[in-house]
Amino acid sequence: MKENTNINANELYKNAVISTFETMIGVTLETMARPLDRGISCYDVTCIISVLGDMPSNIALRISDTTAENILAKYKKKHAIENTSISYCMGELISSLVENYRSRCCDKKMVLTAPEVITGQGHDLHFSNFKNIIELYFTSNIGDAYLIVVHGG
């Protein structure tokens, strides 16, 4: 089993997100502090996936409509796919992100649920019965992204 006690989960998720965006859509992300000028509900598109097994958690990637359109355009161009949707593209991104994280930290058993995409201006996202929360903010030339990870253990 791979264990890396020198790097915490925040760093592992940060690296997984940056690597996934670079590999899947050719976009370089940089971390940023939580934006003070907007609330959590400012994101228009949320892709959420649940992880079952040794590391139960929910992982959500939140972006604006404009960032979603930019991600979709980059995804279509990089993968030479013309007929796809933001839901499919975001699902692929978040699934790859979780697998990228798992490969960096451990060999624990993980089962992913099908990703779900929620759209709508100013929607809120709530989790219950979780003890640990990781929040990471990213920026790039195509827009900002917010990752939230909630663990049950």
Side-chain angles (χ1 to χ4, degrees), residues 41 64 82 103:
S41 62
S64 70
E82 205 43 51
S103 72

mmCIF file of all heavy atoms in Angstrom, residues 41 64 82 103:
data_model
loop_
_atom_site.group_PDB
_atom_site.id
_atom_site.type_symbol
_atom_site.label_atom_id
_atom_site.label_comp_id
_atom_site.label_asym_id
_atom_site.label_seq_id
_atom_site.Cartn_x
_atom_site.Cartn_y
_atom_site.Cartn_z
ATOM 1 N N SER A 41 -22.503 30.062 -3.266
ATOM 2 C CA SER A 41 -23.612 29.843 -4.193
ATOM 3 C C SER A 41 -23.465 30.594 -5.511
ATOM 4 O O SER A 41 -24.370 30.587 -6.327
ATOM 5 C CB SER A 41 -24.939 30.215 -3.520
ATOM 6 O OG SER A 41 -24.937 31.573 -3.172
ATOM 7 N N SER A 64 -18.520 28.342 -12.912
ATOM 8 C CA SER A 64 -19.530 29.233 -13.483
ATOM 9 C C SER A 64 -19.969 28.708 -14.852
ATOM 10 O O SER A 64 -19.318 27.838 -15.437
ATOM 11 C CB SER A 64 -18.959 30.643 -13.646
ATOM 12 O OG SER A 64 -17.984 30.642 -14.677
ATOM 13 N N GLU A 82 -17.090 16.195 -31.219
ATOM 14 C CA GLU A 82 -17.947 17.332 -31.521
ATOM 15 C C GLU A 82 -19.276 17.262 -30.783
ATOM 16 O O GLU A 82 -19.815 18.266 -30.364
ATOM 17 C CB GLU A 82 -18.176 17.398 -33.042
ATOM 18 C CG GLU A 82 -18.502 18.758 -33.577
ATOM 19 C CD GLU A 82 -17.681 19.911 -33.009
ATOM 20 O OE1 GLU A 82 -16.434 19.855 -32.999
ATOM 21 O OE2 GLU A 82 -18.290 20.893 -32.550
ATOM 22 N N SER A 103 -4.559 7.293 -7.023
ATOM 23 C CA SER A 103 -3.257 6.779 -7.459
ATOM 24 C C SER A 103 -2.097 7.478 -6.749
ATOM 25 O O SER A 103 -1.013 6.922 -6.642
ATOM 26 C CB SER A 103 -3.106 6.924 -8.973
ATOM 27 O OG SER A 103 -2.916 8.271 -9.337
#
